[in-house]
């Protein structure tokens, strides 16, 4: 199984730039990150420090989020946020540059919360335009923009796979781009009440990425009741060939105990 460790939610006991090496020490060869900077356009030194942490650890960066705003403060993306649309657009070249230098080709664009005082129609129009622009920006390096349903954010409008797929279809119809794909986070889909089995049966071959956490608790696989192993296996059977993103909350000491047991059983 090809796992990639989300170093923005795991190994948080360590400074950010030490986490890739810790993932490598735990037996993983791939990592992914939420946007690791405070601004859409960080300094050259900040970018170089991040890239060196990845390269020095000897791991592959498989996924990177576009700037999603203040995540701890409740923001969930800039894509459809009218007042920060330019900020998102400024982020595209930076993201693509990091991807080009590190060989990363998957970029998660969180759609953004509904904003008071702005119509849903206006936000969705801006969202479609910005997704198309982002898709064009990463297409030059063979990249894919990922669109993700999210749980736990009351004003976030994309809750189910169908919600995201409708946006993806709109972007393709309006701009012709074909490199925007669904990020199937099985935890978020399950918490939001989506029919995960049906989503897998109908769309697995077209998933842009899979992420996992167990429920309840958003903990490591095996700490809850979700049949994550079955869902992953079925997705593989139906044509999904990418990494499985580990995006759960677990203390460093026990973060990968399940993976150690899995390896021992092989």
């Amino acid at each position: 199984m090809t796992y990639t460790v989300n170093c923005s939610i795991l190994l948080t006991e360590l400074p950010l730039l030490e986490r890739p090496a810790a993932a490598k020490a735990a037996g993983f060869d791939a990592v992914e990150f939420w946007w690791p900077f405070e601004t859409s356009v960080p300094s050259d030194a900040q970018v170089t420090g991040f890239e060196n942490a990845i390269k020095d650890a000897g791991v592959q960066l498989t996924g990177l989020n576009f700037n999603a705003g203040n995540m701890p403060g409740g923001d969930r993306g800039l894509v459809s946020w009218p007042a920060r649309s330019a900020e998102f657009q400024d982020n595209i070249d930076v993201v693509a540059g990091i991807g080009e230098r590190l060989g990363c080709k998957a970029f998660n664009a969180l759609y953004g919360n509904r904003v008071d005082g702005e119509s849903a129609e206006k936000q969705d129009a801006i969202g479609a335009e910005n997704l198309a622009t982002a898709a064009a920006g990463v297409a030059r390096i063979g990249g894919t923009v990922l669109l993700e349903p999210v749980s736990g954010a009351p004003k976030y409008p994309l809750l189910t796979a169908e919600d995201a797929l409708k946006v993806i279809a709109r972007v393709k119809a309006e701009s012709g781009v074909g490199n925007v794909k669904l990020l199937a986070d099985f935890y978020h889909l399950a918490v939001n009440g989506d029919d995960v089995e049906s989503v897998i049966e109908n769309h697995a071959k077209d998933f842009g990425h899979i992420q996992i956490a167990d429920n309840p608790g958003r903990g490591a696989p095996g700490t809850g009741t979700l049949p994550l192993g079955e869902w992953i296996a079925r997705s593989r059977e139906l044509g999904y060939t990418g990494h499985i993103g580990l995006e759960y909350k677990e203390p460093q000491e026990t973060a990968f105990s399940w993976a150690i047991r899995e390896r021992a059983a092989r």
Side-chain angles (χ1 to χ4, degrees), residues 9 24 33 48 63 83 86 88 115 130 136 158 167 178 198 208 211 238 240:
I9 193 171
K24 180 70 171 182
F33 278 85
T48 298
F88 175 77
V115 178
N130 281 336
L158 308 185
V167 174
S198 178
Q211 290 175 333
L238 293 173
Y240 178 72

Side-chain angles (χ1 to χ4, degrees), residues 16-18 20-21 48-59:
L16 188 77
L17 299 187
E18 294 181 15
T48 298
F50 174 72
E51 292 177 357
N52 285 344
I54 302 291
K55 292 186 284 190
D56 292 347
V59 293

Side-chain angles (χ1 to χ4, degrees), residues 3-14 18-32 59 212 219-223 244-264 266:
Y3 295 111
T4 183
V5 178
N6 191 300
C7 290
S8 295
I9 193 171
L10 283 164
L11 304 170
T12 55
E13 297 88 345
L14 300 172
E18 294 181 15
R19 297 175 199 172
K24 180 70 171 182
F28 297 93
D29 294 322
V31 297
E32 60 184 21
V59 293
I212 60 170
T223 60
I244 305 298
L246 305 179
E247 196 186 54
Y248 56 81
K249 299 176 181 178
E250 193 74 25
Q252 183 180 356
E253 293 77 12
T254 57
F256 307 116
S257 299
W258 65 273
I260 294 171
R261 292 192 297 269
E262 185 177 274
R263 290 169 188 155
R266 291 176 184 168

Side-chain angles (χ1 to χ4, degrees), residues 38-138:
E38 293 184 359
T39 60
S40 284
V41 184
S43 70
D44 290 346
Q46 289 175 312
V47 172
T48 298
F50 174 72
E51 292 177 357
N52 285 344
I54 302 291
K55 292 186 284 190
D56 292 347
V59 293
Q60 175 64 51
L61 181 69
T62 59
L64 180 65
N65 283 25
F66 291 90
N67 184 11
N70 180 8
M71 293 276 285
D75 294 345
R76 290 296 182 271
L78 310 182
V79 171
S80 65
W81 191 342
R84 300 186 72 177
S85 178
E87 189 178 346
F88 175 77
Q89 292 175 15
D90 289 343
N91 190 220
I92 296 171
D93 282 345
V94 184
V95 168
I98 294 172
E100 184 172 27
R101 290 185 293 273
L102 295 181
C104 176
K105 296 183 182 298
F107 308 99
N108 186 14
L110 289 178
Y111 192 67
N113 294 326
R114 291 305 192 204
V115 178
D116 293 339
E118 300 285 3
S119 69
E121 291 77 13
K122 178 179 178 180
Q123 284 198 252
D124 289 338
I126 290 173
E129 291 173 4
N130 281 336
L131 285 170
T133 302
V138 302

Side-chain angles (χ1 to χ4, degrees), residues 195-207 230-231 234-235 237-238:
D195 185 342
V196 180
E197 288 85 357
S198 178
V199 172
I200 292 169
E201 291 298 319
N202 292 321
H203 304 291
K205 68 180 184 304
D206 298 318
F207 287 167
E230 296 176 15
W231 288 347
R234 185 58 178 157
S235 297
E237 290 173 359
L238 293 173

